[in-house]
Amino acid sequence: MKKISIVIPVYNEEKNVPTAYAAIKSVLEGLSDAYDFEIVFTDNHSTDRSFALLRDIALKDSKVKVARFSRNFGYQKSIYTGYSLSTGDIVIQLDCDLQDPPALIPEFLRKWQEGYLVVFGVRKTRSEGPIITAARKVFYRLINFLSEDELPHDAGDFRLVDRRVVDELKRIYDSSPYLRGTIASLGFNQVGIPYDRLERTQGDSKFNFSSLFSLALDGIVNHSVVPLRLASYTGIFTFIAALVLMLGYTAGKILLGKHWPAGFTTTTTLILLSLSLNALFMGIIGEYLGRIFLQVKRRPITIIEESFNL
């Protein structure tokens, strides 16, 4: 029998843990004639009762594995650790809030049986405001445009991956992982399944604007050098424009006898523009250097403080 590993990252989800466990186990038990299974919870150092609830579940159910981190390492690292701890032939990642429906697991498995090593959910609709929804759509298309790899539109981390893909993923050390892009860049046969993302019924989302911006930045920086090239191209363009302007002023002075009045506004504008461009592109370069710095230090992706059934 093939084995399914369900990976569920958790952070302050005490209201959703029992519901998620019951819903996912119900789906998996319906597949028990053909598949063995395990459920791997990675607790990102929750400050509520999430870990206590997970511990109680693990003590009663040996198929449930729980790892609690020594601190909050972030969502992407939590998923990566869940992949690393899984032992199944197939690994499926789900969020604890059940906005990604477990009922789609059998459909994912059918696509896997057809030969697809990666099956990901494509969000047709989602219960968010129009501004944040539009911003997400723009981001997915922007990162695909900038990336050297083909990245799927409107796809989150709700996906099935074959053990072969997980093994390749474990060979990659990335201090700031963006798994959606990394898995897409590995290749293999991949397919998307459209679905309507459900509304969160309990608890609050842990993704504020700052978290979403950080995730977007990781995605762009991890999969594209276009921002660096943009800085170079802008520098070249600015240099050429300044050279042409200088030659034009010189020709006008020598050949036409023009006397240009002192332009305080023009000078000030050009200085401020130059300073802002320098600051912008130094910031872009700094983002890349910062990630190189973290990568070279090779700190652990996560640290497990306590675990059950691992």
Side-chain angles (χ1 to χ4, degrees):
M1 294 176 68
K2 297 294 185 180
K3 185 177 182 179
I4 303 170
S5 295
I6 305 293
V7 171
I8 307 175
V10 176
Y11 179 65
N12 289 349
E13 294 284 3
E14 62 180 2
K15 295 181 180 179
N16 289 311
V17 164
T19 307
Y21 166 68
I24 292 168
K25 187 168 183 181
S26 175
V27 172
L28 294 175
E29 286 181 340
L31 301 167
S32 59
D33 290 341
Y35 297 96
D36 191 11
F37 67 88
E38 67 178 3
I39 305 175
V40 182
F41 288 95
T42 52
D43 178 51
N44 228 334
H45 204 79
S46 297
T47 56
D48 62 2
R49 296 181 58 251
S50 295
F51 179 66
L53 294 171
L54 292 173
R55 177 192 59 207
D56 293 343
I57 292 172
L59 291 175
K60 296 176 183 177
D61 188 347
S62 61
K63 291 185 178 294
V64 173
K65 300 179 178 182
V66 178
R68 175 176 171 82
F69 301 154
S70 60
R71 64 174 178 85
N72 187 344
F73 285 90
Y75 179 67
Q76 292 291 301
K77 292 181 180 180
S78 184
I79 298 174
Y80 179 88
T81 302
Y83 283 153
S84 300
L85 296 175
S86 66
T87 60
D89 302 284
I90 311 142
V91 184
I92 301 174
Q93 193 273 318
L94 277 165
D95 285 345
C96 196
D97 55 20
L98 296 182
Q99 289 184 274
D100 302 319
L104 275 178
I105 291 177
E107 179 66 21
F108 277 29
L109 292 172
R110 279 192 287 273
K111 289 296 183 182
W112 176 75
Q113 291 170 346
E114 292 174 10
Y116 293 100
L117 300 191
V118 178
V119 184
F120 53 87
V122 178
R123 301 161 178 173
K124 294 191 298 182
T125 61
R126 51 191 310 156
S127 55
E128 294 179 327
I131 295 178
I132 188 67
T133 300
R136 288 182 185 274
K137 285 185 175 295
V138 170
F139 163 70
Y140 285 124
R141 284 147 185 80
L142 174 63
I143 189 175
N144 186 47
F145 173 75
L146 295 176
S147 177
E148 297 176 1
D149 304 305
E150 186 68 25
L151 305 184
H153 293 173
D154 305 319
D157 290 297
F158 179 35
R159 72 175 75 82
L160 173 154
V161 291
D162 185 87
R163 169 53 53 182
R164 184 178 176 186
V165 178
V166 174
D167 289 341
E168 291 297 330
L169 189 64
K170 288 166 65 176
R171 295 172 56 190
I172 301 172
Y173 177 85
D174 192 341
S175 61
S176 303
Y178 181 72
L179 295 175
R180 307 172 193 182
T182 302
I183 291 175
S185 69
L186 291 177
F188 301 107
N189 291 334
Q190 306 195 15
V191 66
I193 296 180
Y195 73 104
D196 296 313
R197 198 162 198 249
L198 305 177
E199 185 176 0
R200 174 186 275 265
T201 58
Q202 300 186 88
D204 299 319
S205 174
K206 309 307 180 295
F207 275 91
N208 52 28
F209 177 79
S210 176
S211 300
L212 291 173
F213 180 80
S214 178
L215 181 63
L217 192 60
D218 283 340
I220 293 173
V221 173
N222 281 19
H223 294 278
S224 177
V225 295
V226 171
L228 288 175
R229 290 174 182 165
L230 181 62
S232 300
Y233 295 153
T234 303
I236 293 171
F237 173 78
T238 305
F239 172 76
I240 293 174
L243 183 61
V244 170
L245 187 61
M246 181 181 67
L247 292 175
Y249 275 122
T250 303
K253 177 75 172 177
I254 297 174
L255 302 178
L256 303 178
K258 295 290 186 179
H259 297 281
W260 309 109
F264 175 78
T265 303
T266 304
T267 303
T268 303
T269 302
L270 290 175
I271 290 174
L272 292 176
L273 177 62
S274 299
L275 290 174
S276 62
L277 285 175
N278 283 333
L280 172 64
F281 292 122
M282 285 295 291
I284 292 175
I285 295 170
E287 288 292 337
Y288 282 90
L289 287 177
R291 280 159 174 76
I292 294 172
F293 171 71
L294 294 174
Q295 191 79 0
V296 170
K297 293 177 74 172
R298 296 193 66 83
R299 288 183 173 179
I301 300 295
T302 56
I303 299 174
I304 297 177
E305 180 181 60
E306 193 171 354
S307 65
F308 292 91
N309 296 336
L310 285 176

